[in-house]
Amino acid sequence: MDHYNQSIGCWCGTTALEPFSEHYLFCPSCKSLRLNASVGDVAHVSDGETDLYGKYYYLRHLPEKYGYPDIETRARHDLPERCLYWLRTLLKYKPPPSKILELGCAHGGFVSLLQWAGYEATGLELSPWLANYASGIFGVTVLAGPIEDQQIAPASLDVIVLMDVLEHLQNPVATVSHCLGLLKPDGIFLIQTPSFPENKSYEQLQNESSPFLEQLKYDEHLHLFSKSSITEFFSRIGFDSVRFEPAIFSHYDMFFLSGRTAVTVHPQEEIVTALTVSPSGRLMQALIDIDDEKRNWIRKYAEAEADRAARLAVIHKLEQQLAEAEADRTAKLAAIHKLERQHLTAQKRFRQISQELHGIVAERDKELEIVKTSFSWRITSLLRWVLGKISSTEKP
Ligand SMILES: [Zn+2]
């Protein structure tokens, strides 16, 4: 890599980074990836055309560069998909009522879902335009600007949510440490971020066509963590517990909770009770029940598909065996026809030879008769001649 930038350091403090790909460096100390470029202030957004996370980013950049749905479509489709998925996980570890802040809440759908479930939830967006948009469509409170600029009381939050945010932070240690000061002693982070397979080189990822390659978005992803580096990251800021959960986009993401001490799972009955204290919470419970049914149908469909595929494989095998048997039968039939033709030819030839032999025998018989007649005549003549001689000799 000829443009290796030695001034770029990893979040862990290491500056001796190694080349990884055209745009990324690898930290041999913590196994993270670091964008090989310095970026300016991306946290303060005025919604001008040039601000990275301004209006342009959501209306033009994401749909045009990555083919993502527009923000209005996302606001509708994310609710029963990723937002519900995240809510279900959060309910297990921190049932309502709890005070939650989501950094980078985009359209605000998850904040809204959290409120409906019974949480006291607030969102935050760097873009004032998006903060207004989210407040407008979901009626939730969305703060605008960097977290460091907000007036939030220390140790006042139960949960801070960062979905697809950590990788964008210029100084993740500083920002997450600031957030940590806002959490109560038993407060937790709920985080989704790309998962770098730390033992693989860029070439290996390319050879495997790894989905993680999609996350090497060099115009916005500054830090990409592996599971071990994220564990070290939180350990260094004083959060010794990192509990990984299955990510909804598990082919390139990780999803986890982190706290000062180990997070505990609440009993199902407690979650149901927490949801049924409000009408909107009951609606969330109904949504979860429908989601359970959907998952059940998906599982059954997958089983039926697997069974169908297995039966189809058997049918294909039988078809192949039938085709082989047909081919064998055709080949044998062709051999029989050939033998029949050879037999007919042999019979015909036999008749010809037989006729020829009869002809030859008849000819020989005729010749023999002639010879016999000729011989008989000659013998008769000889006898006459001999008798004639004898009679002439006996006469004196
Ligand atoms: Zn590092």
Side-chain angles (χ1 to χ4, degrees), residues 10-14 17 27-32:
C10 179
W11 65 266
C12 72
T14 301
L17 304 184
C27 174
S29 175
C30 74
K31 320 288 186 199
S32 299

Side-chain angles (χ1 to χ4, degrees), residues 16-119:
L17 304 184
E18 298 171 354
F20 180 76
S21 66
E22 183 182 357
H23 299 286
Y24 284 89
L25 302 170
F26 174 73
C27 174
S29 175
C30 74
K31 320 288 186 199
S32 299
L33 293 183
R34 172 73 169 92
L35 182 69
N36 185 19
S38 300
V39 293
D41 177 16
V42 294
H44 291 87
V45 174
S46 66
D47 287 332
E49 290 287 314
T50 54
D51 288 337
L52 178 58
Y53 299 121
K55 187 176 176 181
Y56 177 84
Y57 177 80
Y58 294 95
L59 294 185
R60 299 281 304 278
H61 177 75
L62 290 181
E64 290 176 8
K65 179 151 188 185
Y66 299 116
Y68 293 164
D70 60 68
I71 193 79
E72 183 67 27
T73 308
R74 288 287 301 270
R76 178 180 172 181
H77 292 169
D78 287 358
L79 273 184
E81 187 219 26
R82 64 200 69 188
C83 296
L84 186 63
Y85 186 90
W86 297 333
L87 172 67
R88 296 189 65 141
T89 300
L90 186 61
L91 283 169
K92 280 199 298 180
Y93 298 100
K94 202 65 105 170
S98 297
K99 198 168 177 184
I100 302 180
L101 173 68
E102 184 188 10
L103 266 61
C105 65
H107 49 64
F110 187 46
V111 177
S112 189
L113 210 66
L114 290 169
Q115 283 204 345
W116 294 331
Y119 293 102

Side-chain angles (χ1 to χ4, degrees), residues 115-182:
Q115 283 204 345
W116 294 331
Y119 293 102
E120 186 186 335
T122 304
L124 179 146
E125 256 305 327
L126 296 178
S127 156
W129 169 81
L130 190 53
N132 278 332
Y133 174 86
S135 299
I137 63 167
F138 283 113
V140 292
T141 301
V142 179
L143 309 171
I147 182 70
E148 293 87 348
D149 294 355
Q150 310 300 324
Q151 300 299 313
I152 300 171
S156 62
L157 300 172
D158 293 289
V159 184
I160 292 181
V161 176
L162 297 101
M163 297 304 182
D164 307 324
V165 167
L166 199 60
E167 62 274 21
H168 295 263
L169 299 177
Q170 264 182 310
N171 189 338
V173 174
T175 303
V176 175
S177 296
H178 179 85
C179 290
L180 188 145
L182 305 177

Side-chain angles (χ1 to χ4, degrees), residues 311-325:
R311 286 172 196 265
L312 197 63
V314 170
I315 289 171
H316 284 158
K317 191 176 177 186
L318 288 173
E319 280 177 347
Q320 190 184 353
Q321 286 174 344
L322 185 64
E324 286 169 4

Side-chain angles (χ1 to χ4, degrees), residues 129-300:
W129 169 81
L130 190 53
N132 278 332
Y133 174 86
S135 299
I137 63 167
F138 283 113
V140 292
T141 301
V142 179
L143 309 171
I147 182 70
E148 293 87 348
D149 294 355
Q150 310 300 324
Q151 300 299 313
I152 300 171
S156 62
L157 300 172
D158 293 289
V159 184
I160 292 181
V161 176
L162 297 101
M163 297 304 182
D164 307 324
V165 167
L166 199 60
E167 62 274 21
H168 295 263
L169 299 177
Q170 264 182 310
N171 189 338
V173 174
T175 303
V176 175
S177 296
H178 179 85
C179 290
L180 188 145
L182 305 177
L183 285 172
K184 294 176 183 174
D186 64 344
I188 59 170
F189 287 101
L190 179 69
I191 294 178
Q192 175 180 285
T193 190
S195 180
F196 166 50
E198 64 182 37
N199 295 320
K200 300 213 167 156
S201 68
Y202 182 63
E203 289 69 29
Q204 282 176 308
L205 295 172
Q206 278 186 313
N207 291 338
E208 295 169 8
S209 300
S210 169
F212 174 76
L213 293 171
E214 284 179 47
Q215 299 301 324
L216 298 176
K217 297 174 180 171
Y218 59 87
D219 48 357
E220 49 189 282
H221 287 178
L222 311 181
H223 299 270
L224 291 161
F225 298 86
S226 65
K227 282 190 171 176
S228 69
S229 71
I230 204 71
T231 305
E232 185 180 339
F233 177 92
F234 278 93
S235 173
R236 283 200 188 195
I237 62 170
F239 269 37
D240 289 328
S241 165
V242 172
R243 181 169 179 135
F244 292 100
E245 282 279 325
I248 185 169
F249 310 111
S250 57
H251 48 294
Y252 54 51
D253 275 344
M254 61 173 124
F255 182 42
F256 60 93
L257 302 99
S258 182
R260 288 184 176 85
T261 53
V263 284
T264 52
V265 177
H266 290 254
Q268 186 60 29
E269 304 74 44
E270 191 183 327
I271 296 167
V272 173
T273 305
L275 284 173
T276 49
V277 296
S278 70
S280 63
R282 286 179 181 272
L283 265 180
M284 287 303 97
Q285 183 61 68
L287 196 57
I288 289 168
D289 291 342
I290 292 169
D291 192 50
D292 279 338
E293 275 188 47
K294 187 184 89 175
R295 287 167 188 236
N296 197 29
W297 283 117
I298 289 172
R299 184 181 55 76
K300 283 185 176 171

